[in-house]
Amino acid sequence: MRMYDIIDKKRTKNKLTKEEIHFLVDGFTKGEIPDYQMSAFLMAVCLNGMDKEETVEMTLAMAHSGDMLDLSPIRGVKVDKHSTGGVGDKTTLVIGAMVAALGIPVAKMSGRGLGHTGGTIDKLESIPGFNTSISTEKFFDDVNRLKFAVAGQTADLAPADKKIYALRDVTATVSSLPLIASSIMSKKLASGADVIVLDVKTGSGAFMKTIKDSFALASAMVEIGNGAGRKTYGVVTDMNQPLGRAVGNTLEVIEAINALKGDAPEDLMEDALVLGQYMVYGTGHAKTPEEAREMLEKTIEDGSALKKFAEMVEAQGGDPSYIYDTDKFEKAAYVEEILSPKEGFVRSIKTDDVGIASLILGGGREKKEDVIDHAVGLIIEKKIGDPVKKGEPLAVIHANDRDKLEAAKERLILAYEIGEKPDKLPMHVYGVVSDGKILFEDQWVREQAATGNEIRFEG
Ligand code: URA
């Protein structure tokens, strides 16, 4: 078998065999296939695609390129939740505690943020003492005891994906549906959960900018998960503006804690509840998603979700008093409002630019080695559809450096489009895909389909 022939086969739009896919993934991971040949192959996939069988084989080959976590020491049906990445997305903190409060094991391996999107591990490290580098034994023990643990990835999960992703990043081959689906799902399959709920973000702050592409990605990932014997749901949710109001590590943790206390922005709680519904229903703890939703809502009302979060924080070395008194969190030196240059309505927000503003402040990292400033970030005061007067605050910046504050301010002002009339409000949740079916779709999605403006994936 020769890599040259495999590249040529894909260039001429032919289907690859299982053996060919495993040959190229294994060969590249071991360093036997050079970057230039893999780059040519990735570009051929970008241009000519891969069908379902090829994508499944690619995913399996990447998943098996490193450790496959065995979660069997954890009792019960294990559930994992994964977001394709967004700005202000602190849902894991909220929903992890809510689901675990119902006695369902949430064994969460999370990543750090890179680029304009944040990572759960960075957010949790805003809590003094919180340790995400725990041993596998402690991770299993905490989940068995408390039903909830969040750890940074220690095992060598899907090393093929790490190498391939690094190449995609510099060869303009990130935005290919089969490559994104196989990248995400290889890591999910290697992390060992029985039920996987995928939050597929759509809009200006997401990888997938259109609803149609997002449904297509959700469907592809669900098929891969189901095909590998994992119950998988894909929830398509909005990322045309930051989720909730807080962007930045400490600010997001405070917003998540407030949500667990019953004080959540509507979009954040809706996102959390819909994802949580399928986590609970998928593990067989509720007869219907609606019943699951009611169970989850009770964990906020009776305080059990907040208590679960504090227990998890304490078990991992964090100071739980911060959960009950968020005024204790360290604050940034400068807190400054960004004022609207004119009167009107917020029509759109360039969400990736909001993420970049937080990055500029020091809240994220451009390179893996960058050190994060947990206290910085911003609070969004005006969201899409909101009326705004000239001179009213659009957002509040929390900064520790004046130059960075000015640079972030410039970026943020440009991210806002203010017009005379309000535009259509974005939905929170567009639909849920499982087993090749759209289980729930938003009214707006149905209307678009009915007018011939087809946005559903019929694959
Ligand atoms: N997230 C991933 O892990 N991989 C992709 O290709 C895109 C988003």
Side-chain angles (χ1 to χ4, degrees):
M1 212 174 279
R2 292 193 323 149
M3 187 61 184
Y4 178 95
D5 299 326
I6 297 177
I7 300 168
D8 200 44
K9 208 168 167 188
K10 196 32 76 191
R11 185 184 65 80
T12 50
K13 302 190 179 161
N14 288 300
K15 179 171 173 149
L16 302 178
T17 64
K18 174 177 171 177
E19 289 70 29
E20 286 165 337
I21 291 174
H22 284 262
F23 171 83
L24 76 92
V25 172
D26 295 348
F28 182 63
T29 312
K30 287 188 201 135
E32 291 161 6
I33 290 172
D35 283 3
Y36 55 82
Q37 283 192 312
M38 194 61 174
S39 305
F41 170 76
L42 293 169
M43 186 54 83
V45 172
C46 256
L47 299 175
N48 296 332
M50 287 203 293
D51 72 6
K52 184 176 144 193
E53 283 164 51
E54 291 174 297
T55 309
V56 168
E57 282 315 325
M58 179 96 179
T59 310
L60 293 177
M62 282 159 65
H64 287 276
S65 65
D67 299 337
M68 294 292 284
L69 268 192
D70 174 14
L71 297 185
S72 59
I74 300 173
R75 295 183 291 275
V77 181
K78 274 76 69 183
V79 58
D80 194 3
K81 170 255 163 199
H82 180 84
S83 159
T84 59
V87 176
D89 185 1
K90 65 284 290 174
T91 321
T92 295
L93 306 180
V94 180
I95 203 59
M98 290 168 81
V99 172
L102 293 172
I104 300 166
V106 180
K108 190 79 189 92
M109 291 268 173
S110 286
R112 295 188 181 277
L114 191 60
H116 77 277
T117 62
T120 301
I121 294 294
D122 296 323
K123 294 177 207 214
L124 281 169
E125 284 177 352
S126 311
I127 303 169
F130 195 95
N131 178 17
T132 53
S133 310
I134 55 177
S135 67
T136 311
E137 289 71 33
K138 176 165 169 56
F139 182 63
F140 287 169
D141 188 50
D142 281 1
V143 181
N144 274 331
R145 222 163 28 88
L146 302 172
K147 306 295 172 204
F148 192 19
V150 186
Q153 197 173 297
T154 47
D156 190 20
L157 298 184
D161 175 60
K162 276 195 206 86
K163 275 193 88 176
I164 293 173
Y165 195 87
L167 210 49
R168 286 168 59 208
D169 218 13
V170 292
T171 55
T173 51
V174 168
S175 57
S176 149
L177 189 148
L179 295 181
I180 297 178
S182 54
S183 163
I184 292 177
M185 290 309 289
S186 63
K187 287 172 286 205
K188 289 295 106 185
L189 298 185
S191 341
D194 309 297
V195 178
I196 302 167
V197 179
L198 301 161
D199 186 359
V200 182
K201 299 285 183 203
T202 190
S204 66
F207 273 110
M208 291 292 167
K209 307 285 180 205
T210 69
I211 302 172
K212 180 174 183 172
D213 285 349
S214 307
F215 269 100
L217 177 62
S219 303
M221 292 197 291
V222 166
E223 282 190 37
I224 295 170
N226 288 345
R230 316 290 174 88
K231 202 176 267 189
T232 311
Y233 300 90
V235 185
V236 178
T237 68
D238 189 69
M239 193 33 73
N240 282 298
Q241 54 186 338
L243 188 64
R245 295 195 175 274
V247 180
N249 299 286
T250 299
L251 298 172
E252 290 191 43
V253 168
I254 294 174
E255 187 167 74
I257 293 169
N258 288 337
L260 292 171
K261 291 176 180 167
D263 177 19
E266 191 200 334
D267 57 347
L268 171 61
M269 192 42 89
E270 185 56 26
D271 198 39
L273 282 170
V274 176
L275 294 167
Q277 253 175 283
Y278 288 95
M279 291 168 81
V280 175
Y281 172 63
T283 50
H285 285 76
K287 288 191 206 67
T288 61
E290 293 71 31
E291 185 190 357
R293 188 180 176 104
E294 280 171 27
M295 290 161 69
L296 287 163
E297 281 168 344
K298 280 206 190 89
T299 67
I300 299 289
E301 287 158 22
D302 66 14
S304 57
L306 180 70
K307 184 161 168 269
K308 185 55 66 187
F309 188 73
E311 281 172 3
M312 183 274 289
V313 166
E314 189 166 16
Q316 292 189 224
D319 182 345
S321 68
Y322 280 66
I323 312 307
Y324 295 104
D325 179 8
T326 53
D327 285 342
K328 290 179 83 168
F329 278 99
E330 194 187 324
K331 290 174 191 57
Y334 309 105
V335 177
E336 205 166 298
E337 291 177 335
I338 308 297
L339 306 180
S340 177
K342 59 179 179 180
E343 176 161 346
F345 292 87
V346 178
R347 287 176 60 86
S348 70
I349 301 175
K350 290 193 195 103
T351 310
D352 33 17
D353 278 352
V354 177
I356 292 169
S358 172
L359 192 69
I360 291 171
L361 292 168
R365 54 174 81 71
E366 282 173 84
K367 300 184 297 308
K368 271 204 292 243
E369 322 64 72
D370 289 349
V371 176
I372 285 215
D373 184 345
H374 288 96
V376 301
L378 37 114
I379 301 286
I380 301 290
E381 294 291 340
K382 298 287 177 191
K383 295 192 59 164
I384 296 176
D386 284 348
V388 58
K389 292 200 177 70
K390 187 174 174 192
E392 241 191 317
L394 294 171
V396 179
I397 295 196
H398 293 237
N400 273 328
D401 178 301
R402 281 234 76 96
D403 291 342
K404 289 181 182 171
L405 190 153
E406 291 308 321
K409 202 166 163 179
E410 249 172 62
R411 195 87 190 200
L412 207 57
I413 286 271
L414 293 175
Y416 270 86
E417 186 207 348
I418 296 172
E420 280 177 15
K421 290 196 195 106
D423 202 357
K424 180 179 60 60
L425 289 184
M427 303 288 117
H428 300 324
V429 178
Y430 293 91
V432 180
V433 182
S434 183
D435 269 336
K437 293 190 291 280
I438 296 182
L439 294 185
F440 153 85
E441 54 183 29
D442 196 272
Q443 175 71 17
W444 184 79
V445 178
R446 258 200 301 272
E447 280 166 16
Q448 295 299 303
T451 55
N453 185 6
E454 185 53 73
I455 52 166
R456 287 180 298 175
F457 176 60
E458 303 289 3

